[in-house]
Every structure is written in C-alpha cells, then in structure tokens.
Amino acid sequence: MEIIRTGAWMKQVSREARSKERILGLVPTMGALHEGHFSLVREARKECSPVAVSIFVNPAQFGPSEDFKKYPRTWDADREALESLHVDYLFAPSPEEVYPKGFRTSVNVDGLSDRLEGRSRPGHFRGVATVVLKLLEIVQPEFAFFGRKDAQQLRIIAQMSADLNLDARIVGCPIVREPDGLALSSRNAYLNPQERHAATALYRALDALREDVASGERNAACLLEVLQDVIRGEPSISLDYVEIVDAVTFESVVALRGTCYALLAARVGTTRLIDNALIEEDGGSFRVTV
Ligand code: AMP
C-alpha cells in the first residue's frame, strides 16, 4: 500500500491508473476505522482495482463547539488494517494540502443541507460537500463508496454528483452494526460502559418500528410515537430529532409511501449519535432495513 500525502501525486497515480484502463475506487473516511469502513473497502474491492482509501479529518465539517480536536485518530491501526485489506493507496493529506492559505470556495447543496443534521449542525454539509467534491476531483475515481449510516450525507453527495456532472458513480452501502444492534461509529469510542449499553436504544427503537410496519402500521405520527417511546425508556438519552422522510426530498411524510427513511439523532451523555432505517415499498407492503 502506497501512502500519498499530496493532491498532485494522488492525481498523477490516478491518471496512470486510468491510462491503463483500470477501475479506480475511492472510500473517503475520517479514520478511526472500524468494520463499517472496512465493509466499504470490501465492496470497493469487488468492483474496483486499484482501491484508494482517504483519511482526512475535515475541519470544515465540524462546528466551533464540536469534537474536531478530540475526534479519535488511530493512524497506526488504520494503516495496518488497510494494508491487510489489500488497499492500494492510502491518501492522507494534511489540512494545509486540502485547504491551502487563501482557500475561499465552497459548495452547498441547497435545501437538502438545511434540514435534520444540517439544522442541528449548521455548515456541516457545506463542509462535507466541499471536501467530497475536492476528493473526487483529486482522486477521479470511477466509483466512490459511502455508508447509508449517514443517509442524508449520501443523498446530498448523490445530488451534488448529478448537479455538477461528476464522473464518479456514488455507491451506497448497508449499515454495519455491533451484535447488539448499535451502528458502528468512530464516536462510539467516547461512550462509557453505561452509555454504551443505553446507546442500543437507537437500534431498539428502529427495530420496534420495523415490527410495527410489519404488522401494518403506515401512519408516520404513530411510527414516530413508537420510536420516541423506546428512546424515552432510556433516561440518559436525549433526542435531537426523529423523523420519517421521503428518501429523495428528505421532507417529512404523513404516511409511508415509496422509499422513506426513519432518521434518529440523539445525545447519549455528551456523545451525539445518528442512526436510521430504510423503508422500501415492495408490491403494496413495506420492507424495513435497519
Ligand atoms: P466517517 O469516517 O465517519 O466520515 O465515515 C466514512 C464512511 O464510512 C461514510 O461513508 C460513512 O457513512 C461510512 N460508515 C460509517 N459508519 C458506518 C457503518 N456503521 N456502516 C456502514 N458505513 C459506515
């Protein structure tokens, strides 16, 4: 695995791969890698060779009072894990390389970026879209892989890619969970043992919704009640938002129709976690994937 620190060198490597008609895949990450990230790498390996993984903790997507400074950084373990997954290139630029002095351009996906995560974290999606656009421009992959764990982010990146005629095909991948259902996240490292236990309520809430949908419930208000009831049962969790939205517009729905997401954001102690379930209409019935 070659470690690449500069955009210029990454572009050169990518140009060479394309000239040999190889299919370059990119998995963008912020490091502190776990099975969720590795699942994206495995998906990339199935479709692409070579595979590049980027590790960049993007300051532009953190608010002033957020955890940029203390965000977990586990470089040695990340490098070793990617090596053993036979990743070809690890692109790990410095902040100065990504945002040189005088940098003043950003990209915003209007509307989609203002709701839900965007409302709770002003400027977050502008930072995400800008860095992803830069990574796609530098790496020029044929395919780029993102987790459905960050469903709104995935939707925003797909919209940006369509709007700006980007070449990379955006691939969404399933959520990887711990055996007790907690969605893997680099931020789970912040949880103490009690919080770690309480955090399973997010999954339990989505699983309760799945059962309710299976027994015929279609009304969004009733389904939201089910989600809220489970979360309320955990006093150490405070809900930020819970919504059922259309999977394209990310606007709230009154009743299930087509493809929707049930989206949750909550604080467990001081740690903010998000999770979701994908709800797909399937010949008159609905399938819920958590
Ligand atoms: P991050 O390092 O948190 O920015 O995440 C990098 C990529 O990994 C994003 O596309 C995330 O959606 C994805 N990801 C994070 N956690 C998971 C998970 N539990 N399952 C699947 N993908 C994930």
Side-chain angles (χ1 to χ4, degrees):
M1 183 174 74
E2 184 178 352
I3 296 172
I4 299 180
R5 298 284 183 183
T6 69
W9 185 239
M10 188 65 241
K11 278 192 171 196
Q12 174 62 24
V13 163
S14 162
R15 252 194 305 273
E16 275 167 28
R18 278 198 310 282
S19 75
K20 293 180 190 142
E21 302 198 353
R22 299 183 71 195
I23 309 288
L24 176 56
L26 172 66
V27 179
T29 82
M30 298 205 299
L33 301 179
H34 51 64
E35 271 304 319
H37 300 113
F38 302 152
S39 72
L40 304 184
V41 173
R42 289 193 194 98
E43 205 50 44
R45 285 226 61 90
K46 277 194 225 157
E47 317 243 350
C48 307
S49 174
V51 169
V53 174
S54 61
I55 294 184
F56 180 63
V57 186
N58 175 31
Q61 71 188 69
F62 289 79
S65 60
E66 291 185 358
D67 56 343
F68 173 68
K69 282 223 171 84
K70 71 163 190 168
Y71 194 83
R73 288 161 172 87
T74 56
W75 171 257
D76 289 335
D78 290 355
R79 186 175 37 72
E80 278 168 30
L82 295 176
E83 194 105 53
S84 68
L85 287 169
H86 308 292
V87 164
D88 300 278
Y89 304 110
L90 169 50
F91 179 46
S94 65
E96 298 72 31
E97 180 69 17
V98 176
Y99 301 111
K101 216 166 173 289
F103 182 87
R104 52 176 65 243
T105 304
S106 63
V107 55
N108 193 56
V109 179
D110 292 341
L112 282 174
S113 298
D114 304 329
R115 314 199 59 250
L116 301 153
E117 280 301 282
R119 188 165 57 201
S120 297
R121 307 181 65 189
H124 171 66
F125 285 125
R126 178 184 291 274
V128 170
T130 302
V131 82
V132 171
L133 179 58
K134 285 173 71 74
L135 290 169
L136 294 176
E137 281 300 304
I138 293 168
V139 180
Q140 295 279 321
E142 199 95 18
F143 295 89
F145 297 82
F146 297 87
R148 184 169 53 71
K149 159 82 170 28
D150 300 276
Q152 193 178 4
Q153 167 177 290
L154 172 60
R155 175 71 191 93
I156 285 170
I157 289 165
Q159 184 70 44
M160 173 179 77
S161 171
D163 289 351
L164 300 182
N165 310 91
L166 304 183
D167 285 329
R169 270 176 279 174
I170 306 301
V171 184
C173 301
I175 301 176
V176 178
R177 297 179 179 280
E178 299 279 7
D180 64 5
L182 179 66
L184 293 182
S185 163
S186 306
R187 289 191 169 95
N188 292 351
Y190 300 149
L191 301 170
N192 68 32
Q194 290 82 358
E195 292 167 343
R196 169 64 187 80
H197 182 70
T200 60
L202 274 72
Y203 168 75
R204 285 187 277 116
L206 295 167
D207 198 43
L209 171 136
R210 187 175 59 74
E211 277 183 21
D212 235 41
V213 172
S215 52
E217 186 59 75
R218 303 285 177 261
N219 180 286
C222 297
L223 293 169
L224 289 175
E225 266 309 307
V226 171
L227 293 170
Q228 282 159 344
D229 276 354
V230 177
I231 302 287
R232 275 195 216 108
E234 259 327 320
S236 60
I237 300 191
S238 68
L239 257 185
D240 178 357
Y241 62 76
V242 49
E243 281 198 45
I244 299 178
V245 302
D246 179 90
V248 175
T249 63
F250 271 69
E251 297 288 343
S252 293
V253 296
V254 175
L256 300 184
R257 195 160 55 90
T259 306
C260 300
Y261 280 109
L263 301 165
L264 280 172
R267 252 174 224 292
V268 186
T270 55
T271 305
R272 193 168 177 285
L273 300 178
I274 59 172
D275 203 346
N276 70 77
L278 175 65
I279 309 170
E280 294 167 292
E281 195 166 0
D282 185 9
S285 63
F286 284 87
R287 188 179 49 244
V288 179
T289 311
V290 284

